[in-house]
Amino acid sequence: MEHFNTFPDRKGTRSVKWDKVQELYGSDNVQPLWVADMDLEIASPIKKALHERVDHGIFGYTFTDEALNKVVIDWVKNHHNFDVASNDIVYSPGVLETIHMTILTQTDELDKILIQTPVYHPFQHMIKRHNRTLVTSPLINTEGHYTMDFNDLEVQFKTGVKMMILCSPHNPIGRVWTKKELQRVLELAKQYHVLIVSDEIHADLVYSGHKHTPMASLDSVASHPIITLMSPTKTFNLAGLQISYAIIPDKKIRTQIKNAFVRFGMTMLNPLGITALEAAYTQGEDWLSQLIDLLTTNKTLVETTLEPYDSVTVTQAEGTYLLWLDFNHLGMSHDDLKTWMEKEVGLGLNSGIAFGENGSGFMRMNIASPTTYITEALDKLTKALDNKA
């Protein structure tokens, strides 16, 4: 697999994942498997395109155009059977930045915004920081398989929820929502006039046997407003280049969000981000195919290695490179679990409770690394579990 057998040295690059280990865990001996970027070198065609752009030597004011829009349109159509109009595309530095602008323009202070926990933790922080009312609809966990609680979702919508932030595919539980599930969410949203903001940044990272369906591609969308958020950054390990796009068919909403970016002075993208997007979406297919193979290998390795242990359950991931591990059978408090994982096991995972109260006893593990690195982590974990038996 291209570039996937060699572990890159990321220390000294101001890497959040690697250069903050001491600060976050109080020790340099903790093996980080947390923040959602990859310990994998980017695809050669992207690297080549970036080199050529850097060699040009000038990084002046940059704009997006119809040619770039076509690259996005073709990718989304070919990979997700989703027809996108060029005028509907709004670029931004990141998905979260677009969610911020959406909250500011489409809701008022104290308005209710719903998320389905456990879910990507910045959602709840953004809602609170903008003085909106956080509403949660917990997902149902049935022996390691999560589903939406549609009865509760309707109950919450009835209270006057203004916006729902949907995570699809879902981080951290790894669900790839089925078309039937998404149809039901849409039906309820239309009935109760709830704006759907669909974070689909993990759309391309789906395992065999599953298929991502963009919420806005559903036949029953009709005139109901949906904002779709996508990016090549998770797919191709480009997060630091800050490039994403929103698909917003509703002209009024699209104009309001674009104007908000102007008000905050966010009107231009990083030229290297533009270069990377174009190269990724036109020349990155082979690399992505190899990546899915690697992630499948690593996911299977984690599942088979931990299967004999009753004290930990691996939630069956259908997408993303993040695994949701249930340690509740260890009988520890969440604080004790976190301390044990860092101090005794020597692994730096994401604390599950950060994703919602129903994440207590869970940890999120990033498997986007060479298999040897995942094997090293599993050796530490199984040794520690054996010692507790």
Side-chain angles (χ1 to χ4, degrees):
M1 296 182 184
E2 180 187 357
H3 305 309
F4 295 165
N5 294 321
T6 302
F7 195 88
D9 182 3
R10 300 179 61 192
K11 292 181 179 178
T13 63
R14 296 189 176 88
S15 163
V16 171
K17 185 174 183 179
W18 284 94
D19 290 325
K20 285 183 170 283
V21 170
Q22 174 69 42
E23 177 183 333
L24 291 170
Y25 301 111
S27 170
D28 288 324
N29 295 321
V30 175
Q31 182 179 349
L33 297 109
W34 63 290
V35 69
D37 62 14
M38 306 185 203
D39 291 312
L40 303 169
E41 192 173 313
I42 65 172
S44 294
I46 304 175
K47 201 173 183 181
K48 181 175 182 291
L50 289 170
H51 274 299
E52 290 174 352
R53 185 67 181 85
V54 169
D55 287 343
H56 179 260
I58 299 174
F59 306 97
Y61 297 119
T62 308
F63 63 92
T64 58
D65 56 15
E66 287 299 317
L68 189 68
N69 287 357
K70 186 177 187 307
V71 169
V72 169
I73 290 167
D74 289 348
W75 179 269
V76 175
K77 175 62 176 179
N78 293 336
H79 286 261
H80 307 297
N81 196 31
F82 180 20
D83 292 308
V84 175
S86 183
N87 288 339
D88 295 347
I89 299 172
V90 177
Y91 294 98
S92 82
V95 162
L96 292 182
E97 285 83 348
T98 306
I99 296 177
H100 276 293
M101 298 305 174
T102 304
I103 291 172
L104 285 170
T105 60
Q106 304 307 308
T107 66
D108 296 318
E109 289 197 4
L110 302 182
D111 276 352
K112 294 180 178 181
I113 302 176
L114 182 142
I115 58 176
Q116 295 170 300
T117 56
V119 72
Y120 185 50
H121 45 85
F123 291 169
Q124 57 184 294
H125 301 318
M126 286 192 293
I127 293 167
K128 292 176 181 178
R129 285 170 185 161
H130 289 295
N131 198 27
R132 272 55 173 178
T133 304
L134 174 65
V135 177
T136 61
S137 181
L139 299 169
I140 300 170
N141 182 5
T142 306
E143 297 180 353
H145 179 73
Y146 282 84
T147 54
M148 297 187 191
D149 187 338
F150 292 113
N151 291 331
D152 180 70
L153 192 60
E154 182 166 15
V155 167
Q156 301 303 332
F157 279 2
K158 283 181 178 179
T159 67
V161 167
K162 187 77 174 289
M163 177 190 298
M164 173 185 182
I165 304 176
L166 176 72
C167 197
S168 176
H170 194 283
N171 169 13
I173 65 170
R175 273 301 313 276
V176 176
W177 304 118
T178 64
K179 188 173 182 179
K180 183 178 180 181
E181 288 171 313
L182 295 172
Q183 288 278 16
R184 182 57 182 149
V185 173
L186 181 56
E187 289 169 4
L188 291 171
K190 291 176 72 173
Q191 182 177 352
Y192 295 101
H193 310 290
V194 177
L195 172 65
I196 296 176
V197 179
S198 188
D199 176 2
E200 302 185 16
I201 196 169
H202 294 276
D204 303 315
L205 301 171
V206 173
Y207 297 108
S208 177
H210 303 279
K211 176 68 175 174
H212 173 71
T213 302
M215 169 68 86
S217 71
L218 297 176
D219 295 337
S220 59
V221 169
S223 60
H224 189 74
I226 296 174
I227 298 172
T228 305
L229 308 176
M230 290 182 165
S231 172
T233 55
K234 280 290 182 284
T235 308
F236 292 99
N237 200 26
L238 304 169
L241 294 181
Q242 297 184 303
I243 179 81
S244 80
Y245 54 92
I247 301 164
I248 314 175
D250 187 290
K251 184 178 180 180
K252 180 180 178 182
I253 293 175
R254 184 172 67 249
T255 300
Q256 289 171 336
I257 291 174
K258 290 175 75 171
N259 287 343
F261 276 114
V262 172
R263 287 201 308 275
F264 284 91
M266 300 169 66
T267 58
M268 190 176 303
L269 298 174
N270 181 335
L272 296 183
I274 294 174
T275 298
L277 181 152
E278 191 167 28
Y281 278 0
T282 57
Q283 303 174 71
E285 291 278 5
D286 289 344
W287 186 93
L288 177 56
S289 177
Q290 293 177 50
L291 172 67
I292 297 298
D293 288 343
L294 173 73
L295 297 179
T296 301
T297 296
N298 289 350
K299 181 172 80 78
T300 301
L301 176 63
V302 175
E303 292 168 348
T304 55
T305 301
L306 297 181
E307 195 277 333
Y309 293 88
D310 294 333
S311 53
V312 56
T313 301
V314 183
T315 301
Q316 294 298 307
E318 300 168 352
T320 83
Y321 53 74
L322 305 163
L323 296 185
W324 189 235
L325 309 181
D326 184 353
F327 291 95
N328 279 289
H329 288 297
L330 282 175
M332 295 183 181
S333 69
H334 190 81
D335 287 344
D336 288 344
L337 171 64
K338 186 174 182 295
T339 299
W340 175 77
M341 187 66 66
E342 295 169 9
K343 305 300 183 186
E344 296 188 40
V345 183
L347 298 182
L349 309 181
N350 286 95
S351 175
I353 205 165
F355 299 87
E357 290 297 324
N358 50 347
S360 179
F362 289 80
M363 290 281 179
R364 191 188 76 171
M365 178 182 187
N366 180 344
I367 60 169
S369 298
T371 301
T372 53
Y373 187 72
I374 303 303
T375 300
E376 178 186 347
L378 289 171
D379 287 345
K380 293 178 181 178
L381 180 54
T382 54
K383 181 179 180 181
L385 290 171
D386 288 337
N387 289 339
K388 289 192 72 67

